[in-house]
Structure formats: structure tokens, C-alpha cells
Amino acid sequence: MSDETLKTTPLYQAHRDAGARMVPFAGYSMPVQYSDGVLKEHLWTRSHAGLFDVSHMGQARLRGVSPLSAFEDVTPGDFIGLAPGRQRYSLLLNKKGGIVDDLMGARPDDDGLFLVVNGACKDGDFAFIDNELAGQVRIERLEDRALLALQGPDAAEALIVHAPDIAGMAFMECRRMSAFGLDAIISRSGYTGEDGFEISVPEGAARAVWDMLLADPRVKPVGLGARDSLRLEAGLPLYGHDIDETTSPVEAALTFAVARKRRDAGDFPGAARITRELAEGPARVRVGLKILEGAPAREGAEIADVAGAVIGMVTSGGFAPSLGCAIAMGYVPPAQAAIGTRLNVLVRSRAGAAEVVAMPFVPHRYVRKP
């Protein structure tokens, strides 16, 4: 895409003013890194607080007579049972049990269901929901709101100055509140494995909020490069890479998103396939790999057993700054998925030793209620 055809977020000029290197991403011009570089940004987020612009993602309200009930027609989650003030990670599923997208659904207030979907998928997601739930709900796309993510061990202390009502919030809670003197929707969540918050504010106030947060010396701007390495260390899948419309929740190790009552009822899209895979096991599973030798294995690298037979493929991979080694995620047959299994990854036709390890690679540090 040329610069002329790329969309921009409300924080585009803030990124340019900070010296960010901008790249095309999900149809937008987005910061991949700032002057400190990806490695330092990654480690700063792990030790202090990183501020991310995620305004390219799709925000919407799902409204109607029974939006929570209706949403269960396209997801395997328990949204009827979603309590006010809570948020749930879920999956849009097609009729074959494949993942159309992963998303967050929340009840920050009594105004329907608040959705946040991936930026590259948002047009398709909203069209899919609109088509599948026609006559049951209506979607209001919140194009006039920006979304910021503040992630890291210092995130809560940096944010509470501007949003006192976050006090006492735990992981996956979401509230509508006054913050920065604005109407904000704030969840205690993120995609780095760290404690943190996602902050939805009116787009016209995004730059002021950005600048107020960066005035705290514990907070630095972080780009897409470190966001990707952080989520990889956290063992979190990236849509379009680690999961797609051919992947089931069972294969992707996302069975926690299939609620127990929905499994029992078998009343979700693709239930026949998913129920069968839960009972019998899938043909492939997502695993974590520690690369023991050779170059980092990137997406598309083949995975082979120790005898040299190709058995799978890497879907995400790279250097893990927190660990000082290369890691990857990919799919292999269940027989090769046990922790400690030795495998090889083929990088430029050269085999490098790898080992199946537990995920997350770096422990999550979410703040949960006792």
C-alpha cells in the first residue's frame, strides 16, 4: 500500500513527532518502533510500562433485545452468564468450527455488549456478525473512539492518577468510568502477558491522553515490533498467523474459550467437529518450541521429527528478549507435542534442534482476585 491509501489513527502525528518508524499494518500506517528500538521497548514493558496505540482495532456496541444471548449464536462462550463489569475472550466460529477471529466481549455498563476485534479483520467480522445475527441485534461501530494499551508492572500506578476508579479492578474486568476527565471504557487486560489496561477514549482526546500518560517517567511508547515479541513470549496466538478459519479451538489450544455449558449443549457453530476433537483429539496441536541451535525459525519454517520427516510448520517465531534465546509456535501431531519432545526446525533448508516447551514461555503476570 502507498502512504496515500493507508489509514491513520488519531495518534499518527504523535508517533511521527516521537520519531517512530511507520509501517503498513492492517491497512493503517502504524509505529513498528521508536528511537530506543524493539529490544529496549520490549524489556521496558516487562520492567516498567509500555504505551501502545491499538486504535486500528475494531470497537463496537452490539445492541438489541437480547444481545448477550444472540452473541452465543456465533461464539462458543457463555455470554448469557457474563456479569456486569466483566470481559471475556472469545472466538467467532464458522459452521465448520474454524476461527473467523478472536475478540473481547465485555459489559462495562448496561448498554449492550462492547466488542473489540482485530484491526485486520474488523470489516469482515462486523459483516459476519451482521449477517449471522440479522434481525436479532444491530451493530454500532465506534469509529469515533481511540484505543490505547498501557502494559507492564507499573501500569496500574501510572494510570490510577488519571483514572481513580480502576482501584480494585482485577484481570478481565471492564468498566465505563470517568478518566482523564473523559468518558472512558477501561479493561484490565492486554496482549503482552503483563498486567495492564486497555483504554477506550473519544478520538479527539487521544493525543491529550497519550501525552498525559507519557509524562510519567515510568511510561514509554512501544511499537508493533515489541508488541509482537511480547505476545509471542506470552504464548498468545496472532490471528492470521497462528489461527485462522481452518483452525479449531482444540487445535489452537484455546479450549478454555469453549464454555462448559456450551460443550454440554453442543449449541455453538462447528460443535460437531469441536466436540469430536475434544473427545478423540485433533490431528494437530499448537505447541511452543525453544530453538536450541541455528537461526530463529520464522513463520513458514517446517518442523521435522528427529528422523527428518516433516510433521508441521512454524506459525510465529523470533528472538525472545526476556529469555535471550529464539522461540516459536507451530502445529505438530499430538504424538509429537509432549513437553520435552526433541524436534528440528528447517531454516533455509538447514535443520536446527528444537524442543517442545510449555507455554507461556514467560509467565503471565495478570492481577487476579484472591
Side-chain angles (χ1 to χ4, degrees):
M1 282 188 175
S2 67
D3 290 342
E4 290 74 21
T5 61
L6 290 173
K7 298 177 183 178
T8 58
T9 76
L11 292 166
Y12 174 78
Q13 193 57 49
H15 303 316
R16 297 299 298 266
D17 292 346
R21 181 161 72 88
M22 309 297 288
V23 299
F25 182 79
Y28 286 78
S29 180
M30 297 291 290
V32 68
Q33 66 179 69
Y34 298 86
S35 57
D36 282 348
V38 173
L39 177 63
K40 289 184 178 179
E41 290 173 19
H42 177 114
L43 295 175
W44 184 268
T45 303
R46 289 276 186 243
S47 59
H48 298 289
L51 183 61
F52 304 77
D53 177 13
V54 288
S55 302
H56 63 294
M57 298 185 76
Q59 301 180 69
R61 290 278 192 173
L62 195 65
R63 297 190 174 100
V65 176
S66 303
L68 304 179
S69 175
F71 202 53
E72 292 195 356
D73 288 350
V74 291
T75 66
D78 176 10
F79 282 93
I80 293 174
L82 182 63
R86 295 291 301 174
Q87 176 172 265
R88 182 155 288 152
Y89 173 88
S90 196
L91 308 165
L92 285 180
L93 296 179
N94 60 32
K95 295 295 192 294
K96 296 181 179 180
I99 300 171
V100 175
D101 197 9
D102 60 344
L103 54 83
M104 291 289 190
R107 293 186 64 193
D109 49 30
D110 292 326
D111 189 13
L113 188 65
F114 176 62
L115 301 178
V116 179
V117 304
N118 285 304
C121 305
K122 61 184 177 182
D123 292 337
D125 287 355
F126 294 143
F128 177 83
I129 293 169
D130 195 42
N131 180 67
E132 294 294 320
L133 305 183
Q136 299 185 67
V137 298
R138 66 183 187 279
I139 300 173
E140 180 186 345
R141 296 181 62 159
L142 305 179
E143 304 282 11
D144 59 347
R145 296 188 74 85
L147 191 64
L148 288 67
L150 183 65
Q151 303 283 296
D154 291 337
E157 289 187 10
L159 181 58
I160 201 167
V161 176
H162 309 285
D165 288 346
I166 68 166
M169 284 181 69
F171 180 57
M172 296 299 276
E173 291 188 349
C174 182
R175 301 178 189 169
R176 184 175 180 179
M177 66 180 70
S178 176
F180 305 93
L182 304 164
D183 174 25
I185 298 172
I186 298 179
S187 66
R188 195 160 196 168
S189 61
Y191 223 58
T192 63
E194 293 293 328
D195 179 31
F197 300 83
E198 292 195 342
I199 308 158
S200 173
V201 296
E203 63 175 355
R207 177 67 187 263
V209 172
W210 181 264
D211 289 343
M212 279 189 273
L213 288 169
L214 289 178
D216 189 313
R218 295 169 293 189
V219 181
K220 289 186 177 182
V222 180
L224 294 174
R227 187 168 183 259
D228 190 54
S229 56
L230 288 159
R231 70 92 196 164
L232 176 59
E233 287 186 347
L236 301 173
L238 179 62
Y239 193 82
H241 301 263
D242 305 297
I243 52 177
D244 58 30
E245 291 201 34
T246 70
T247 316
S248 78
V250 184
E251 292 176 324
L254 297 174
T255 52
F256 68 89
V258 184
R260 171 57 62 183
K261 76 166 195 175
R262 306 296 306 281
R263 295 186 198 186
D264 293 343
D267 61 351
F268 55 90
R273 172 190 178 183
I274 293 169
T275 301
R276 183 180 67 253
E277 289 181 350
L278 285 168
E280 302 174 4
R284 57 175 186 161
V285 290
R286 181 170 63 97
V287 297
L289 297 171
K290 181 178 181 180
I291 310 305
L292 303 177
E293 63 181 13
R298 309 287 182 180
E299 180 179 1
E302 293 179 322
I303 303 171
D305 62 20
V306 291
V310 173
I311 58 169
M313 183 172 292
V314 169
T315 53
S316 286
F319 181 74
S322 304
L323 303 174
C325 65
I327 58 175
M329 291 192 292
Y331 285 84
V332 300
Q336 302 286 351
I339 304 301
T341 300
R342 287 300 184 103
L343 299 171
N344 290 314
V345 289
L346 306 180
V347 180
R348 294 185 290 276
S349 301
R350 300 186 66 175
E355 180 181 356
V356 177
V357 296
M359 292 191 289
F361 300 95
V362 173
H364 295 162
R365 296 200 284 185
Y366 305 136
V367 173
R368 303 181 187 273
K369 284 194 181 297

